[in-house]
Amino acid sequence: MFILGISAYYHDSAACLLIDGEVVCAFEEERFSRKKHDSEFPVRAIEACLQYAKITSADIDCIAYYEKPSLRFERVIDWFVETYPLTISAFIRHMPGWLGTKLSVEFSIREALGYKGKIVFTPHHLSHAAVAFYASGFEHAAVLTVDGVGEYLTTGLWQGDRHGLKLLKSITFPNSLGLLYSVFAAFLGFRVNEGEYKMMGLAAYGKPEYEASVKKIVHMYTDGSFEIDRRYISLLGDGVAWRRAFIELFGEPRTPSGVITQRHKDIAASIQKVTEEIYGKLLCHLRILTGEDRICAGGGVALNS
């Protein structure tokens, strides 16, 4: 059985091929287009998968897409409605992309490959959980997924075993540890969805002098759940991720070309420490929920060392 997996239209578009349940190859589109973090439909990556296995699209039994575009679009619309009229400019700016490509993924797949077979759309966090668990080799394990946001979920606590993956508990948008981390990365002059690792590295050179200030923004609970105080952070999609109250806590933001000072290092160390604390609480609670001593981690925040 040949299964082709595809991700596209967000960042780092890619394709992978499974033969009888085993991953045999995977390619990122950027390796062929030479565009870093290329988000376009991964035509070249798909072609490379097919060439590697010496098959054509007609041999594919199923194509799996990494999220449910219609459900994600529903969340975007819900958020625009909830925050109207503050989001009207962002709504006008983002709708052409949604109506042009992001909602017509099935059409893009069939047109690009001439494919007439089965296509499935997997919830984003289930995709993360599957990558973590099924590649682990464990027969059963606890699984934690944490990222910016999928359709609605930003955090998932799962049980994985021979029956599959069961979602035990979740946290939804706008409460997101990944988005919180990215806000601080942007504030420190790094590019979102690219420069977070730089802030993680910068944290090692600072001290968490602003830890108390970070904890004014994100309220933590003993089970690892958390809430973001929107008085400090804007999630309106207008390019401004922090409010005046945020600047009052941490000072003026750094420009991408600005000098990195000790203040910047200390802010990085502070958000890093709080991120680790929340992640640790989530893991502890997951251990209680599942009784497992094996843990699989997925999602962008799992890349944080």
Side-chain angles (χ1 to χ4, degrees):
M1 176 177 282
F2 297 98
I3 299 175
L4 180 69
I6 299 174
S7 68
Y9 302 131
Y10 186 41
H11 63 79
D12 302 280
S13 292
C16 74
L17 184 67
L18 286 79
I19 301 179
D20 294 334
E22 181 178 342
V23 177
V24 296
C25 62
F27 300 97
E28 282 190 320
E29 187 70 6
E30 69 168 22
R31 303 300 182 179
F32 304 96
S33 68
R34 315 309 298 169
K35 298 176 184 177
K36 192 172 184 180
H37 303 301
D38 194 342
S39 63
E40 294 302 311
F41 189 81
V43 175
R44 300 175 185 87
I46 292 170
E47 289 176 350
C49 286
L50 299 180
Q51 289 173 9
Y52 183 89
K54 297 181 174 60
I55 62 173
T56 69
S57 61
D59 298 307
I60 298 172
D61 295 281
C62 179
I63 290 179
Y65 194 70
Y66 80 116
E67 67 172 6
K68 287 183 174 288
S70 59
L71 192 58
R72 186 178 171 199
F73 183 65
E74 178 185 296
R75 188 258 301 168
V76 170
I77 294 297
D78 284 348
W79 188 243
F80 280 142
V81 170
E82 182 180 339
T83 54
Y84 180 85
L86 298 175
T87 51
I88 188 64
S89 61
F91 179 85
I92 294 171
R93 188 167 64 253
H94 291 295
M95 279 307 101
W98 272 104
L99 299 177
T101 56
K102 294 180 181 180
L103 278 176
S104 58
V105 173
E106 181 172 354
F107 174 80
S108 298
I109 292 172
R110 296 196 186 282
E111 183 180 49
L113 302 180
Y115 181 71
K116 298 180 181 179
K118 182 179 180 181
I119 301 176
V120 297
F121 295 88
T122 306
H124 186 84
H125 270 253
L126 179 57
S127 295
H128 278 312
V131 168
F133 177 61
Y134 293 123
S136 70
F138 296 146
E139 291 185 4
H140 54 87
V143 184
L144 178 64
T145 58
V146 188
D147 67 0
V149 61
E151 293 85 2
Y152 283 91
L153 267 63
T154 65
T155 304
L157 284 70
W158 308 76
Q159 171 76 58
D161 56 30
R162 63 188 180 86
H163 299 294
L165 286 154
K166 181 181 180 181
L167 181 62
L168 305 176
K169 190 173 181 179
S170 64
I171 299 172
T172 57
F173 182 85
N175 296 309
S176 167
L177 187 58
L179 289 179
L180 178 69
Y181 201 85
S182 291
V183 166
F184 276 88
F187 186 79
L188 292 178
F190 302 119
R191 184 178 174 183
V192 172
N193 287 331
E194 180 179 350
E196 285 83 356
Y197 77 96
K198 297 180 182 180
M199 185 173 73
M200 180 182 67
L202 186 65
Y205 295 90
K207 296 181 179 180
E209 302 289 350
Y210 294 87
E211 180 181 355
S213 295
V214 175
K215 288 183 175 178
K216 289 182 179 180
I217 296 174
V218 56
H219 306 296
M220 299 183 292
Y221 303 99
T222 55
D223 64 354
S225 60
F226 55 88
E227 291 183 82
I228 292 176
D229 191 329
R230 284 156 59 185
R231 292 177 298 176
Y232 296 93
I233 289 179
S234 167
L235 295 171
L236 301 180
D238 56 6
V240 180
W242 51 84
R243 301 184 186 276
R244 172 52 57 181
F246 189 100
I247 295 175
E248 291 172 358
L249 287 178
F250 301 103
E252 292 296 322
R254 171 183 169 267
T255 62
S257 59
V259 174
I260 294 177
T261 67
Q262 189 59 47
R263 175 174 70 94
H264 300 134
K265 297 173 186 178
D266 291 344
I267 292 172
S270 301
I271 180 59
Q272 178 66 26
K273 184 175 181 182
V274 172
T275 298
E276 290 175 8
E277 184 175 347
I278 293 173
Y279 205 93
K281 288 179 183 293
L282 286 167
L283 289 173
C284 288
H285 187 61
L286 182 57
R287 175 74 165 82
I288 293 170
L289 286 178
T290 63
E292 294 281 0
D293 54 11
R294 298 183 178 94
I295 291 183
C296 305
V301 180
L303 291 171
N304 191 305
S305 62

